[in-house]
Amino acid sequence: MKIPSGLITALQNANKTLVLTGAGMSAESGVPTFRDAQSGLWSKFRPEELATPEAFRKHPKLVWDWYDDRRNNIGRINPHAGHDALVELEQYFESLLLVTQNVDGLHQQAGSRDVIELHGNIMLSVCSETGKVIENSWIESNPGRPPVSPHHPRGLARPGVVWFGESLPADAMNRAMTAASHCDVCFSIGTSTLVQPAASLPLMALNSGACVIEINPASTPLSELATFSLQATAAEALTAINTKLASCK
Ligand code: OAD
């Protein structure tokens, strides 16, 4: 894959890099994106119908079982070459902050060191009343689906993810927005840039004078605005960028 020389020059001159990833970053690891059709037992539901506080209140077992199914699937998958390439990229910058909308933990599994999970982590369980973390040992030793919470008499265990209609962790978003306003380069990888506030990060970077690099096989609302828009998969583009940077060392 050909990488524009201007893109490589921008990376060589960058100190602070911000990377925003979405569901497309995990696609090559076998995790369906939000806009992919749901499969099997869940094909008759849309994520928007299950990933909400209302759905959990009305049908706690259904929502719990859906996440349990996704947790089991995610437990069987591994990071791909694109995740590994992002880890390798860290060596070229003073700082690389990775902000992900994904809840699968694949970036940390690959070795990325500075990761902000804007939408939480599917492997985490929290109390539905207090939001306090519930240890997996409690989940495994309490048979309910969902298990009751140890933190509140009416509490239930729920996935530690941000649901539709819920606000993002304020400290995470603030840190991401600060990074977007001060970075030299901002990657936007595998996201349809449809969901706020994450979708505003590349635009904030662009407005602050950063070089914005989009990687997505399809075009998105960011494609025409980005400094570089690579119509390719995450693994293909990121490994090609790494190869080019290494050859310029
Ligand atoms: P989407 O499913 O909206 O978009 C996935 C994007 O990845 C699409 O633009 C695809 O073209 C692209 N894509 C697919 N395969 C790819 C690949 N191999 N390499 C690179 N890109 C690829 O997922 P998100 O943009 O992450 O929020 O969705 C953002 C949020 O929408 C999710 O975090 C979720 C949902 O509302 C919450 O759950 C709160």
Side-chain angles (χ1 to χ4, degrees):
M1 173 180 180
K2 178 142 179 46
I3 302 296
S5 54
L7 184 154
I8 296 299
T9 305
L11 293 178
Q12 289 170 325
N13 295 334
N15 291 314
K16 296 179 186 306
T17 293
L18 173 65
V19 179
L20 171 68
T21 65
M25 182 74 220
S26 299
E28 289 157 285
S29 288
V31 182
T33 67
F34 272 87
R35 275 68 192 175
D36 285 338
Q38 295 246 81
S39 61
L41 176 62
W42 307 107
S43 54
K44 56 182 180 291
F45 297 102
R46 289 186 305 113
E48 289 81 351
E49 293 170 310
L50 294 171
T52 70
E54 295 72 31
F56 185 72
R57 235 191 318 280
K58 279 186 206 149
H59 313 289
K61 183 178 182 308
L62 177 73
V63 175
W64 180 263
D65 287 346
W66 179 50
Y67 278 91
D68 217 24
D69 202 31
R70 290 173 63 196
R71 275 187 177 125
N72 294 333
N73 289 337
I74 282 170
R76 290 192 284 268
I77 60 168
N78 294 301
H80 57 73
H83 292 102
D84 298 339
L86 283 177
V87 177
E88 263 187 72
L89 268 178
E90 292 180 3
Q91 66 186 296
Y92 296 108
F93 309 107
E94 179 191 296
S95 67
L96 186 148
L97 175 64
L98 205 162
V99 176
T100 188
Q101 300 170 87
N102 302 335
V103 295
D104 52 37
L106 285 173
H107 285 301
Q108 296 94 315
Q109 204 179 324
S112 288
R113 286 171 299 176
D114 199 1
V115 180
I116 291 180
E117 294 177 308
L118 280 185
H119 294 162
N121 189 308
I122 199 169
M123 294 308 185
L124 201 61
S125 298
V126 297
C127 172
S128 60
E129 294 297 322
T130 64
K132 283 184 184 169
V133 172
I134 300 175
E135 294 305 324
N136 281 338
S137 54
W138 172 272
I139 302 291
E140 282 141 24
S141 54
N142 282 273
R145 296 185 70 82
V148 294
S149 162
H151 301 305
H152 191 283
R154 290 194 312 278
L156 293 172
R158 57 157 279 183
V161 298
V162 175
W163 277 335
F164 292 100
E166 292 184 323
S167 49
L168 274 59
D171 53 330
M173 198 55 212
N174 291 337
R175 191 166 164 230
M177 290 169 79
T178 302
S181 310
H182 295 87
C183 65
D184 303 305
V185 167
C186 174
F187 283 93
S188 178
I189 307 171
T191 178
S192 55
T193 60
L194 295 174
V195 176
Q196 294 299 348
S200 60
L201 294 172
L203 293 175
M204 287 177 70
L206 199 66
N207 294 336
S208 305
C211 166
V212 173
I213 303 167
E214 180 180 55
I215 299 175
N216 192 325
S219 60
T220 74
L222 180 67
S223 303
E224 287 184 3
L225 304 170
T227 320
F228 298 98
S229 183
L230 305 181
Q231 297 229 322
T233 70
E236 185 185 9
L238 288 167
T239 48
I241 288 169
N242 256 325
T243 304
K244 190 81 179 158
L245 279 173
S247 68
C248 301
K249 266 187 182 173

